Amino acid sequence: MGAIAATLEYAVPAEVAFRYLSDPRNRPEWQSSLLSVEVPPDEEPHLGQAWRERTAVGVRPHMETTELTPFRTWTERGSWRGVTATLTLHFTDIAGGCRVRAEGEVSGRGIWSVPAGAAGLLASTAIAADLRKAGRILASRSSQ
């Protein structure tokens, strides 16, 4: 099992960051591994929302929002074959913007435990880079 942890500060309020990061339709814009998501274009984020992602390495996980507390906490769970991953984003307003804290884990069953462990080792770095990109996107939009 691999643990995921990253904390970043954004120059936008928690509400703005939450709305952007919790909407799967925005993911290909800021998540480097994603080519596309399959979710109805007019479907607003909600608890139990499900979507499918298409990644650059050919993985097509089934995703679901398992926790949604507006502007505070959002959790997704993804599964593909024998690998399961969870990611929770915590949002806190701070002076001049917000703090986004990511935590989660990647685990695998049977023959999938080794690749899941490897993915977990790389996940924190990748997620931090993706969240930094999201922060830059949001900051550029708020300054326009």
Side-chain angles (χ1 to χ4, degrees):
M1 182 177 349
I4 299 166
T7 302
L8 294 100
E9 292 186 0
Y10 287 4
V12 298
E15 178 178 352
V16 172
F18 180 92
R19 287 185 190 280
Y20 181 72
L21 293 171
S22 68
D23 190 336
R25 297 170 294 187
N26 295 326
R27 300 288 283 272
E29 183 176 34
W30 60 269
Q31 190 173 336
S32 61
S33 64
L34 280 186
L35 298 176
S36 65
V37 296
E38 297 170 14
V39 63
D42 59 346
E43 182 176 278
E44 293 299 317
H46 61 276
L47 186 62
Q49 181 177 28
W51 68 97
R52 173 103 41 208
E53 297 181 342
R54 186 169 61 96
T55 70
V57 295
V59 175
R60 292 181 50 85
H62 173 268
M63 308 294 294
E64 180 181 0
T65 300
T66 59
E67 180 179 6
L68 186 118
T69 305
F71 321 133
R72 308 300 300 163
T73 307
W74 176 80
T75 302
E76 69 178 11
R77 181 178 183 278
S79 58
W80 181 76
R81 300 193 181 182
V83 177
T84 301
T86 60
L87 177 67
T88 299
L89 300 179
H90 301 277
F91 300 82
T92 306
D93 279 312
I94 59 172
C98 72
R99 181 173 295 119
V100 178
R101 182 171 51 90
E103 61 185 19
E105 65 182 29
V106 180
S107 61
R109 296 183 316 274
I111 63 169
W112 296 101
S113 61
V114 172
L121 290 174
L122 303 172
S124 288
T125 301
I127 288 168
D130 288 341
L131 289 173
R132 275 193 296 279
K133 182 177 181 182
R136 287 191 302 271
I137 290 167
L138 290 171
S140 72
R141 289 179 182 168
S142 71
S143 65
Q144 294 176 355

